Structure formats: structure tokens, C-alpha cells
Amino acid sequence: MWVRSSSMYKRMPSRDYGNSVDIEENSAFLQNGMDQENTNPSWKLSAPHILVATLVSFLFGYHMGVVNEPLESIAIDLGFSGNTLAEGLVVSTCLAGAFVGSLFSGWIADRFGRRKAFQLCALPMIIGACTSAMTTNLEGMLLGRFLVGSGLGVGPPVASLYVTEVSPAFVRGTFGSFIQIATCLGIIGALFIGIPVKSIAGWWRTCFWVSTIPAAILALAMVFCAESPHWLYKHGRLVEAEAEFEKLLGGSHVKSAIAELSKSDRGDETDTMKFSELLCGRHSRVVFIGSTLFALQQLSGINAVFYFSSTVFRSAGVSSNLANIFVGIANLLGSVVALILMDKLGRKVLLMWSFCGMALSTALQVTAAGLSASGSGALYLSVGGMLLFVLTFSIGAGPVPGLLLPEIFSSRIRAKAMAFCMSVHWVFNFIVGLLFLRLLEQLGPRFLYSIFGAFCLMAVVFVKKNVMETKGKTLQEIEIALLSED
């Protein structure tokens, strides 16, 4: 073969030519290996594991809405009709159970692993739903609701941990949005399952029985899902962590994923961490950011708006069933928008614009409350403001905190810090739900919605000053960045 030189054509010896081919082939092979390491792993490998994990969020939404329509029938059949305290307990006992469960979720996730934590949270949800479905008295209903709540307290924090730890960095925000979408679908599912409750006697029992199906699927499907490689690595199980990374990312990305994990300090099973370290140690700043985000999320009035939506729609001549459908569609639509934008615009931008939109919608509610109650303009503003509030909440303030917090918490504190922040979430959820109607009676809608709007604006300022952007970063890059700030 002839090759061109700077001055003339020379004949290349056959042995040299063979060597050059080998060198070129080896170089190409190495280059392909580097390209595979530098390209993003396929999201299709981790997606099935994420979808199974989000069954917890579906159950969360379902159980939060399952008693809304059937509550009147439940009260009649169990003999506490007209007892508003008992009716309130049927709803709030689930919240109390969730608070208790959230306190233990970090310990369970760290001690038994993420997969077994899912299975353990499914167990009380199945037993509790069966208890509520079979009960003949108020006490049995309250016991069933408490058991379900304890499972719900464990499940969502573990789901946030799991999705954050098994998702590739470039789609972690998108996969995190699946949690909010699954919650919306659970709420809508509970609404549709409850439609026949007024026409079929005892249908409310079926509503509880139905919830055991996804809970059982969750427990069984987790047997086939990957364990979190982060949890395995933290416990010194390197070979198993590599095997799980291969399932989630593909074989060509295992070495780079393990190298990323090695950048942060590896924990140890005997390295116990006390809750006091979350409040006073070097991690206190990120824990403060996380718990404040959840507190502001609840103080924005979102659950009060959900509660009050039926009343507002009835004033506009819309039935409660149709009102719930409208709110559910707005919630789902916003969640889909969040899924599309989470990894494009980033967490911080969505949070800020979400709280700004919620503040605007409360301004519409305040304006509507100041107009004549009988006027159509007031009703349109009130309904429009409420739907805008739900829509903008579900774009950022709803899904982002549950995704952002596991990202900013280091691997050593991640599970326990999430447990602490979720307990803060449940406390403020309970307080707002308890005081909303009384404050509405004493202060009136204008002043109350002004307070909610003020909290939304406070949230915008807080996010701008304290929240870092995590879009596209690996968990180890985020941890190193936060530690360098300290």
C-alpha cells in the first residue's frame, strides 16, 4: 500500500502496516469506551424500578381522598352520623398515623434498606385497609385509618430517597415528578371509585378493599426491583452496589458511578447518627432549608384550598363531584408540566415561579372576596383563582421539595433528615387543617387569603436566598458543593 509523505510516496512494509491497523483499532476501541462513559445511560433501565416505587405515592393520594365522598355513608353505617368530631377523627387519625410513621421512616430505610422499607410500609396499609373495610364500629375505623397512616408516613420519604438514588442525574427531576403525578392519579382514582357510594349500600367498604391491590403489588414487585446502590455502598457492600448499578445504568457506566460514590465518605453500619446532629451539627443548615420548605409549602394554604374548593364551586353552582374533577385535572396538568420542565429549567426556577403564581392566585381570591358575593365576577375570580393556585402549586411547590431534599442531604444523613423534614410537613399539615375553618370564620376570607399570599411571597425570598440548583448534578457533586460552602 502507498502512503503519502511530505516529499514523496513511500512503500510501507506489511508488518508496519499490520501494527498501524492494530493501533488504530485499539485507539478506536478506547475512544468508544470513553464515549460510552461520557454519554448518559439509558433511562429505560431505571424507569421500571421508579414506576414500582411511585405506587407508594399513588396509595398516598388514594388514602388521602378515599373518605371524602363516602364519609357520610360511613358515619350512617357505623352509627356516628351528625357527630362532627368523630367525622373529623376519621380524617385526622390518618394524619396522626402518618406523623408517627414519618418519625421512624429514616431508621427503617437505613436499617433494612430501601426495598424492604417499601415492603414494610405496604404491610400496615394492607392490614389497615382490611380493618376499615370490615369494621362495624368507629373504633375499628379509627384503628384502620391509623395503621394506614403509619404506612403512609414511612412510604413517601422512602420513595423520594429511592427515586433520587437510583435515577440517572440527567432525568432525576423528570423521574421525581412521577411522584406528584402518581399522587394526583391516586386522588382522582379515589374520586372515581367513590362515585357509586350514594347509590350502592356499603360501597365504602369496597373503596377500602380496592386499596389493598396496589399495596400488595408494591410489596411483591419490590422483590424484583434494584436496591439502592448508595445504601449498599454506605454499608460496605461494594460488589452488590456494582451489580445494582449495572441493572440501573448499564455495564459501561458502573465504574464511573462507583467512582462518583467514592468521592464522598463511605459510612458504616456502626456509625450511628443522632437526631441532635441534624439540628446542631454541620448538616443543620441543609436540614433547616428542607424543613422550612415543607413548612412554607403547608403554610401557603394548599390543603386548606383543597378542603374549601367544594364550597367555592357550590357557590358557583357546580356539584362537589365536578369540582373535585376540575381540581384533580388542574393538579395533574401542573404535574405533567413539572415533569417536562424539571430537568430543563431546574428546581429553583420552578419553585420560585410556582410560589409567585400561588401568590397571584391568592390575590385573585382576595379580590373576589371583596366583591359582591352574588356577582358573577366574584365567582369567576374565586373559581379561577383556586384552579390557578392548584395548577401553580403542582408545577413547583408540590413536587420539588420531595425531590430537592434528598438531593441536598448527604448520604450519611439522607434518610433521617428526610424523616425529620416529613414530620415537620405532617405537623404543619395538621395545624393548617385544624385551624383553617376557625380562622376563616373569625378573620374572613380576604384576610386569611392575604396571610396565605404573604407566606407564598416569603417562600419566594427564602428560595432565592437559600436554595441551590441541583439540575444535572450527581448527588456527590451536590454534596461536595454544599460542604465547600460550609
Side-chain angles (χ1 to χ4, degrees), residues 251-273:
S252 62
H253 294 273
V254 172
K255 288 184 179 179
S256 60
I258 292 294
E260 279 291 331
L261 278 181
S262 66
K263 290 179 182 178
S264 57
D265 294 332
R266 192 180 78 188
D268 190 84
E269 283 184 301
T270 60
D271 183 19
T272 58
M273 192 209 67

Side-chain angles (χ1 to χ4, degrees), residues 116-440:
K116 288 183 180 177
F118 280 116
Q119 294 172 318
L120 289 172
C121 82
L123 187 61
M125 284 194 273
I126 293 172
I127 296 173
C130 292
T131 303
S132 295
M134 295 186 295
T135 189
T136 57
N137 53 52
L138 174 62
E139 291 76 16
M141 174 60 67
L142 295 182
L143 174 62
R145 293 291 286 165
F146 184 85
L147 287 172
V148 166
S150 64
L152 294 179
V154 174
V158 176
S160 294
L161 289 173
Y162 187 79
V163 170
T164 299
E165 291 177 343
V166 306
S167 301
F170 77 104
V171 289
R172 195 169 57 236
T174 301
F175 282 171
S177 299
F178 286 178
I179 292 176
Q180 179 73 7
I181 291 176
T183 303
C184 297
L185 293 175
I187 294 171
I188 294 172
L191 169 66
F192 280 104
I193 292 293
I195 287 176
V197 75
K198 292 180 180 177
S199 56
I200 301 176
W203 182 259
W204 60 268
R205 297 183 186 274
T206 303
C207 296
F208 287 109
W209 283 120
V210 166
S211 69
T212 63
I213 298 173
I217 293 173
L218 171 67
L220 293 173
M222 266 297 151
V223 174
F224 306 100
C225 288
E227 180 55 88
S228 165
H230 292 254
W231 181 80
L232 291 169
Y233 186 86
K234 178 182 174 182
H235 287 74
R237 295 157 65 175
L238 178 60
V239 175
E240 293 173 73
E242 289 176 344
E244 300 297 20
F245 267 133
E246 187 169 359
K247 284 185 191 175
L248 296 165
L249 305 178
S252 62
H253 294 273
V254 172
K255 288 184 179 179
S256 60
I258 292 294
E260 279 291 331
L261 278 181
S262 66
K263 290 179 182 178
S264 57
D265 294 332
R266 192 180 78 188
D268 190 84
E269 283 184 301
T270 60
D271 183 19
T272 58
M273 192 209 67
K274 298 178 181 178
F275 268 104
S276 58
E277 293 184 52
L278 299 179
L279 304 177
C280 305
R282 65 188 179 120
H283 302 290
S284 58
R285 179 172 174 267
V286 289
V287 174
F288 169 74
I289 291 172
S291 54
T292 303
L293 274 179
F294 269 130
L296 289 170
Q297 181 196 66
Q298 295 304 307
L299 290 172
S300 70
I302 181 60
N303 285 308
V305 167
F306 275 126
Y307 183 87
F308 196 51
S309 61
S310 296
T311 304
V312 172
F313 276 98
R314 276 198 301 270
S315 301
V318 179
S319 69
S320 60
N321 278 340
L322 202 55
N324 289 332
I325 291 174
F326 283 147
V327 171
I329 290 173
N331 200 4
L332 182 60
L333 180 61
S335 301
V336 172
V337 173
L339 181 146
I340 296 169
L341 298 180
M342 190 75 74
D343 283 313
K344 293 181 179 178
L345 297 182
R347 288 57 151 160
K348 187 171 183 176
V349 172
L350 285 185
L351 265 181
M352 290 179 63
W353 283 107
S354 175
F355 279 117
C356 283
M358 292 160 69
L360 174 62
S361 65
T362 57
L364 294 178
Q365 299 274 26
V366 170
T367 304
L371 299 175
S372 172
S374 59
S376 59
L379 290 176
Y380 288 138
L381 275 178
S382 185
V383 171
M386 183 162 294
L387 291 177
L388 179 63
F389 190 94
V390 173
L391 177 69
T392 52
F393 170 84
S394 59
I395 288 175
V400 171
L403 169 67
L404 179 71
L405 269 54
E407 291 181 322
I408 65 175
F409 294 149
S410 68
S411 58
R412 182 169 179 266
I413 69 162
R414 188 171 292 137
K416 290 182 176 67
M418 275 300 296
F420 177 81
C421 292
M422 282 302 297
S423 65
V424 171
H425 166 273
W426 288 114
V427 167
F428 278 92
N429 187 332
F430 178 77
I431 290 172
V432 173
L434 181 68
L435 299 179
F436 173 70
L437 288 178
R438 178 166 292 186
L439 290 174
L440 185 65

